[in-house]
Amino acid sequence: MGMTTQVPASAPADGGRRSGAGAEKFPLAALLALATAVFITSLTETLPAGVLPAMSSSLEVSESAMGQSVTIYAVGTFLTAIPLAAATAKWSRKRLLLTSMVVFVVANTVTAVSPDYTLTLVARFVAGVAAGLAWATLSGYARRMVAVHLQGKAMAIAMAGIPVALSLGVPAGTFVGRVLGWGAAFLAMSVLAVIVIVWIIATVPDYPGQQERRSPILRALSVPGVRPVLFVTLVFVLAHTILYAYVATFLADLGMGGSTDVVLLVFGVASLVSIWFVGAQVHRRLRAMMVACTLLVAVAAAALATLSEVTALVYVAAALWGLGWGGVPTLLQTAVGDAGGDQADAAQVMLVTLWNVAMAGGGVVGGVLLDLLGPSSLPWSILLLMAPVLAVVMAARGHGFPATRRT
């Protein structure tokens, strides 16, 4: 699951007022359209992980080179999200969202039919740009549709596209790629984006753009607790991406290439469980759960590094990995928001930017490890990187990951 820069939209277009039917009718169809748009952005980013060997064979490049299709998507997002958010701040929100979906249609279609590695990377970069464009509006769109007391529920529905993409989308895409070819999986994404465009036109209300809310980004670094959370974000996401981007290659090396979709399904379902549990407990046990998630991922990596010859244990490790990883985005966003205080918006921008930097770095580092040391080195790298993550979480007891949240 990737993360993209969000421009705060704290107040609805009408200043928080709702009247008439709009005050009583919950916009479920519109929110589900947003959730599907979120699903598209998330799945487009991670889909290559499940079909990497087939893509590399078809385009006649190494699997480590093909892994850069994940890297270049993240690069497109973190290089352009903030500038695009500023450039399109005055656009109507519906126009912005529809434009991003159109770009996804084009980028995924080109990826599906591309016979050339360079062209594929260009299309993936453009898809990353579309993600940045989408997230310039998605973060505030759901909240603007409803009254204040329903904003949490609306956001939860809209953001459900992320865990669904992780738990069901990637395994389904991997299965389609295995049966019909990897190009069919990307074409299916284009078809889904076309459906969402029609869905948005029919059900999603429009809102005017907003002036960009400028926040002193660098000032947030001086706030106690922000730097430890940002460090943990960078290293944790880097570690996760090193293996996730090349999970199909790793499994093929174990003789489990035909089971990639099932392994990813186990990982995804476990991630959903983690997301649910963390969502229910984050306000009371943020520090304890951050420690637990770090340890779960470390144990999973150790199992994959030392016990992967036992097929059943690979599935157990995938489940532990999902349980550890699924709630991490919620924990880190909550931690940086708490630590940031008055500078929370700036801290969030830094977090999501570093998240995409880490994803890009994970694709590069994983590719280098794959070429130099082979697939078996990937879980060892996670185990190594979890050590400083755990050390910083434990040390940031006063600020960053306190035992008791100050709300």
Side-chain angles (χ1 to χ4, degrees), residues 48-57 61-67 174 242-258 260 264 366-367 369-371 374-376 378-379:
V51 294
L52 199 63
M55 289 183 74
S56 66
S57 176
V61 296
S62 68
E63 292 182 5
S64 59
M66 199 66 250
T174 303
I242 285 172
L243 180 57
Y244 194 83
Y246 298 97
V247 66
T249 302
F250 176 77
L251 293 172
D253 186 62
L254 299 179
M256 296 178 62
T260 300
L264 288 175
L369 289 173
L370 196 62
D371 284 342
S376 62
L378 301 180

Side-chain angles (χ1 to χ4, degrees), residues 108 249 332 393:
N108 279 326
T249 302
L332 292 175
V393 171

Side-chain angles (χ1 to χ4, degrees), residues 22-380:
E24 300 172 1
K25 185 177 180 182
F26 190 74
L28 182 60
L31 290 170
L32 290 176
L34 295 187
T36 310
V38 170
F39 175 89
I40 290 170
T41 59
S42 300
L43 183 53
T44 297
E45 181 170 25
T46 55
L47 183 57
V51 294
L52 199 63
M55 289 183 74
S56 66
S57 176
S58 175
L59 297 177
E60 299 180 343
V61 296
S62 68
E63 292 182 5
S64 59
M66 199 66 250
Q68 305 317 305
S69 63
V70 175
T71 300
I72 200 70
Y73 185 104
V75 169
T77 298
F78 80 72
L79 285 182
T80 63
I82 294 176
L84 280 175
T88 60
K90 296 182 181 180
W91 287 26
S92 76
R93 301 297 89 184
K94 193 167 185 175
R95 173 190 177 193
L96 188 60
L97 184 56
L98 288 172
T99 299
S100 69
M101 290 298 107
V102 170
V103 177
F104 269 114
V105 171
V106 174
N108 279 326
T109 301
V110 171
T111 301
V113 302
S114 171
D116 179 72
Y117 174 69
T118 302
L119 178 60
T120 300
L121 290 187
V122 171
R124 292 288 297 168
F125 180 86
V126 172
V129 173
L133 194 63
W135 282 92
T137 183
L138 281 169
S139 61
Y141 219 139
R143 292 189 299 176
R144 296 175 78 176
M145 290 185 191
V146 298
V148 173
H149 71 282
L150 293 174
Q151 287 178 352
K153 179 179 179 181
M155 285 292 291
I157 293 172
M159 294 301 112
I162 297 175
V164 171
L166 184 69
S167 61
L168 301 178
V170 176
T174 303
F175 176 77
V176 170
R178 180 157 54 88
V179 174
L180 301 177
W182 65 268
F186 283 96
L187 280 177
M189 294 299 297
S190 294
V191 172
L192 181 59
V194 171
I195 294 172
V196 170
I197 288 171
V198 176
W199 194 351
I200 292 170
I201 291 172
T203 66
V204 175
D206 197 9
Y207 298 104
Q210 295 179 317
Q211 293 294 330
E212 183 189 11
R213 292 176 60 181
R214 300 185 182 276
S215 186
I217 300 294
L218 294 181
R219 189 183 303 170
L221 285 174
S222 65
V223 178
V226 169
R227 281 177 291 182
V229 179
L230 294 179
F231 175 85
V232 168
T233 299
L234 180 65
V235 180
F236 207 133
V237 177
L238 175 69
H240 167 77
T241 308
I242 285 172
L243 180 57
Y244 194 83
Y246 298 97
V247 66
T249 302
F250 176 77
L251 293 172
D253 186 62
L254 299 179
M256 296 178 62
S259 302
T260 300
D261 51 351
V262 181
V263 173
L264 288 175
L265 181 61
V266 170
F267 168 84
V269 171
S271 294
L272 276 179
V273 173
S274 177
I275 291 167
W276 173 81
F277 187 80
V278 166
Q281 299 293 324
V282 65
H283 292 291
R284 291 179 291 176
R285 298 184 175 90
L286 187 150
R287 176 182 174 82
M289 286 190 296
M290 193 68 228
V291 171
C293 285
T294 303
L295 292 175
L296 282 169
V297 172
V299 170
L304 290 174
T306 61
L307 302 172
S308 56
E309 68 276 4
V310 181
T311 300
L313 291 180
V314 173
Y315 289 103
V316 172
L320 293 175
W321 183 14
L323 287 173
W325 171 254
V328 166
T330 299
L331 291 170
L332 292 175
Q333 285 188 303
T334 302
V336 83
D338 287 353
D342 292 340
Q343 304 298 323
D345 287 348
Q348 289 282 2
V349 169
M350 296 178 72
L351 181 141
V352 295
T353 301
L354 281 178
W355 189 287
N356 284 282
V357 169
M359 289 197 67
V364 173
V365 173
V368 171
L369 289 173
L370 196 62
D371 284 342
L372 294 181
L373 302 175
S376 62
S377 66
L378 301 180
W380 285 111

